[in-house]
Short mmCIF file of all heavy atoms in Angstrom, two decimals:
data_model
loop_
_atom_site.label_atom_id
_atom_site.label_comp_id
_atom_site.label_asym_id
_atom_site.label_seq_id
_atom_site.Cartn_x
_atom_site.Cartn_y
_atom_site.Cartn_z
N GLN A 17 55.43 -6.91 -6.71
CA GLN A 17 55.36 -7.59 -5.43
C GLN A 17 55.17 -6.75 -4.23
O GLN A 17 54.34 -7.05 -3.32
CB GLN A 17 56.68 -8.43 -5.20
CG GLN A 17 56.89 -9.59 -6.14
CD GLN A 17 55.79 -10.71 -5.92
OE1 GLN A 17 55.46 -10.90 -4.87
NE2 GLN A 17 55.35 -11.26 -7.07
N ILE A 18 55.80 -5.59 -4.22
CA ILE A 18 55.59 -4.60 -3.17
C ILE A 18 54.18 -4.15 -3.17
O ILE A 18 53.54 -4.03 -2.11
CB ILE A 18 56.60 -3.48 -3.22
CG1 ILE A 18 58.09 -4.01 -2.97
CG2 ILE A 18 56.26 -2.31 -2.28
CD1 ILE A 18 59.06 -2.98 -3.24
N ASN A 19 53.72 -3.79 -4.33
CA ASN A 19 52.36 -3.24 -4.46
C ASN A 19 51.29 -4.26 -3.96
O ASN A 19 50.34 -3.99 -3.35
CB ASN A 19 52.00 -2.87 -5.86
CG ASN A 19 52.70 -1.55 -6.33
OD1 ASN A 19 53.09 -0.86 -5.45
ND2 ASN A 19 52.77 -1.37 -7.57
N GLU A 20 51.51 -5.62 -4.35
CA GLU A 20 50.60 -6.62 -3.98
C GLU A 20 50.61 -6.81 -2.39
O GLU A 20 49.58 -6.95 -1.82
CB GLU A 20 51.05 -7.96 -4.56
CG GLU A 20 50.01 -9.06 -4.45
CD GLU A 20 48.71 -8.76 -5.08
OE1 GLU A 20 48.70 -8.10 -6.12
OE2 GLU A 20 47.68 -9.23 -4.55
N GLY A 21 51.83 -6.69 -1.76
CA GLY A 21 51.99 -6.82 -0.30
C GLY A 21 51.21 -5.71 0.38
O GLY A 21 50.47 -5.88 1.35
N VAL A 22 51.43 -4.45 -0.12
CA VAL A 22 50.74 -3.28 0.49
C VAL A 22 49.24 -3.38 0.26
O VAL A 22 48.47 -3.13 1.27
CB VAL A 22 51.30 -2.02 -0.13
CG1 VAL A 22 50.46 -0.82 0.31
CG2 VAL A 22 52.74 -1.81 0.28
N LYS A 23 48.77 -3.87 -0.80
CA LYS A 23 47.39 -4.03 -1.12
C LYS A 23 46.69 -5.03 -0.18
O LYS A 23 45.62 -4.81 0.42
CB LYS A 23 47.15 -4.45 -2.58
CG LYS A 23 45.79 -4.60 -2.97
CD LYS A 23 45.67 -5.07 -4.46
CE LYS A 23 44.23 -5.16 -4.93
NZ LYS A 23 44.19 -5.64 -6.33
N ASN A 24 47.42 -6.16 0.07
CA ASN A 24 46.93 -7.15 0.98
C ASN A 24 46.84 -6.54 2.39
O ASN A 24 45.86 -6.82 3.10
CB ASN A 24 47.78 -8.38 0.96
CG ASN A 24 47.62 -9.20 -0.33
OD1 ASN A 24 46.70 -9.10 -0.98
ND2 ASN A 24 48.68 -9.95 -0.63
N GLN A 25 47.82 -5.86 2.83
CA GLN A 25 47.81 -5.31 4.20
C GLN A 25 46.68 -4.34 4.35
O GLN A 25 46.00 -4.27 5.41
CB GLN A 25 49.19 -4.63 4.54
CG GLN A 25 50.34 -5.59 4.67
CD GLN A 25 50.08 -6.49 5.86
OE1 GLN A 25 49.62 -6.08 6.92
NE2 GLN A 25 50.38 -7.74 5.72
N LEU A 26 46.43 -3.50 3.31
CA LEU A 26 45.37 -2.55 3.36
C LEU A 26 44.01 -3.20 3.43
O LEU A 26 43.12 -2.80 4.17
CB LEU A 26 45.38 -1.57 2.24
CG LEU A 26 46.46 -0.50 2.26
CD1 LEU A 26 46.50 0.33 0.92
CD2 LEU A 26 46.19 0.45 3.40
N GLN A 27 43.81 -4.28 2.73
CA GLN A 27 42.55 -5.04 2.74
C GLN A 27 42.31 -5.55 4.11
O GLN A 27 41.17 -5.57 4.64
CB GLN A 27 42.52 -6.14 1.67
CG GLN A 27 42.39 -5.57 0.23
CD GLN A 27 42.59 -6.64 -0.82
OE1 GLN A 27 42.94 -7.73 -0.54
NE2 GLN A 27 42.19 -6.26 -2.04
#
Side-chain angles (χ1 to χ4, degrees):
Q17 290 294 322
I18 292 171
N19 287 342
E20 190 65 32
V22 170
K23 184 178 177 182
N24 289 338
Q25 290 296 318
L26 283 174
Q27 287 174 348

